[in-house]
Amino acid sequence: MPTYARKDITFTKGNGIWLWDKDNNQYLDALSGIAVCGLGHAHPQVAEAISKQANTLLHTSNIYRIQAQEQLGDLLCEISQMDRVFFCNSGAEANEAAIKLARLHGHARGIDNPSIIVFENSFHGRTMATLTATGNRKAHAGFEPLLSGFIRAPFNDIATVTDICKTNNNVCAILVEPIQGEGGINVPNADYLTTLRNICDQHNLLLMLDEIQTGNGRTGRWFACQHQNVQPDVMTTAKGLGNGMPIGACLARGAAAELFSPGTHGSTFGGNPLACATALQVLHTIQEQHLITNADNMGALLVDQLKSKLTNETLVNDIRGQGLMIGIELTENCAEIVDLALSKKLLINVTAGNVIRILPPLIINADQVTQVTDSICECIAEFKNQQ
Ligand SMILES: *Cc1c(COP(=O)(O)O)cnc(C)c1O
């Protein structure tokens, strides 16, 4: 169905940060399949893990214990300091699990109509509940009636959240991205999550962080909340976890980790041996190759280069991000930049209309960072000439 406005390009193979189309043109992938392929393409250890698992056991269902799922669960809990995990197949599904946990938490507190605070310009997925949570009217259009039980507040604005909590006794949770991805790489104040954590503690709300895009090393920490030393009650992740193998996870801590019981949630495919063995290898490789430090360093280098080369560029409003999640906000809408970059064999994207989004693989090196900087600066100059 025509759900995507696709570019007329077909990639047929990849290696590391590089992709090749069917005419054998070579591209630098600074988008990673939207923050998915952190280890780049055709990673030998990942390919090996998939092949080994495929030759052993693909699927048995959650009626039985699954060794790779237990190992991945343990490792995810260790790197996130969470207690338990529910496995599913996508980001939206992980958020569905979080939303169900929030409602269980509300009902356990005697709230009949529990509500979750969500934010303007957020993105949480395309299922009915996650679409409702998403703060974008265009995404809602035509799909009404939306779900009840969501209250929207401006992002990075504590006063409104405080007001809602004071006046509304139905609030049970706050669902928020540590850095808004689809919304335009919006980085909140350094103490934003800490303050939300305090509000949640005060009012007995679950702090639920959507780390679907920011997780798994992308921002230069395992999870973005670790920059602020904030521990959520619920955390969701997906994109970079499987390096392209579909997998999502909803993690919980403390009382929130005990809300589900047998029969209250589930998934046929979720956490199957193939997906879990792959994700386990992805996390091990990120660890062994120190790719989180690399993301931190290369991200800082990229932002430095962009800032120094674009200081006098009047078209550029702001350059921001954390680790390898970087946005360049222009003064005007700039969808055409994607095609300009394509003609230079560079993959980037534009989100929120006027923000160039750069999400390179975590394996990117300093030379490749310079290539990305040079290419993007050329694109911006050409875009300006065309105006
Ligand atoms: C991509 C994304 C989702 C949705 O994930 P899907 O796997 O596409 O369902 C949810 N939240 C955030 C922050 C995302 O970036």
Side-chain angles (χ1 to χ4, degrees), residues 90-93 95 123-125 177 182 210 212-213 238-239:
S90 67
E93 276 180 81
N95 282 338
F123 183 79
H124 297 297
E177 296 157 86
E182 306 303 305
D210 179 342
I212 287 163
Q213 190 162 152
K239 290 192 165 84

Side-chain angles (χ1 to χ4, degrees), residues 9 58 96 141 151 167 189 239 246 325 358 361:
I9 302 177
L58 281 183
E96 286 280 341
I151 303 172
T167 53
N189 295 344
K239 290 192 165 84
M325 184 171 180
I358 316 168

Side-chain angles (χ1 to χ4, degrees), residues 26 40 51 71 103 180 186 212 270 333 348 357:
Q26 183 178 342
S51 141
Q71 290 169 336
R103 289 186 168 191
Q180 289 186 332
N186 301 320
I212 287 163
N333 285 352
I348 50 167
R357 180 165 56 162

Side-chain angles (χ1 to χ4, degrees), residues 209-225:
L209 297 184
D210 179 342
E211 294 243 17
I212 287 163
Q213 190 162 152
T214 51
N216 308 296
R218 171 60 45 194
T219 71
R221 297 287 185 280
W222 275 119
F223 296 97
C225 60

Side-chain angles (χ1 to χ4, degrees), residues 1 56 62 89 109 131 148 178 206 224 282 335 348 366 372:
M1 294 188 195
T56 312
N62 286 300
N89 313 290
R109 288 184 44 201
L131 174 68
S148 56
L206 297 184
V282 169
I348 50 167
V372 172

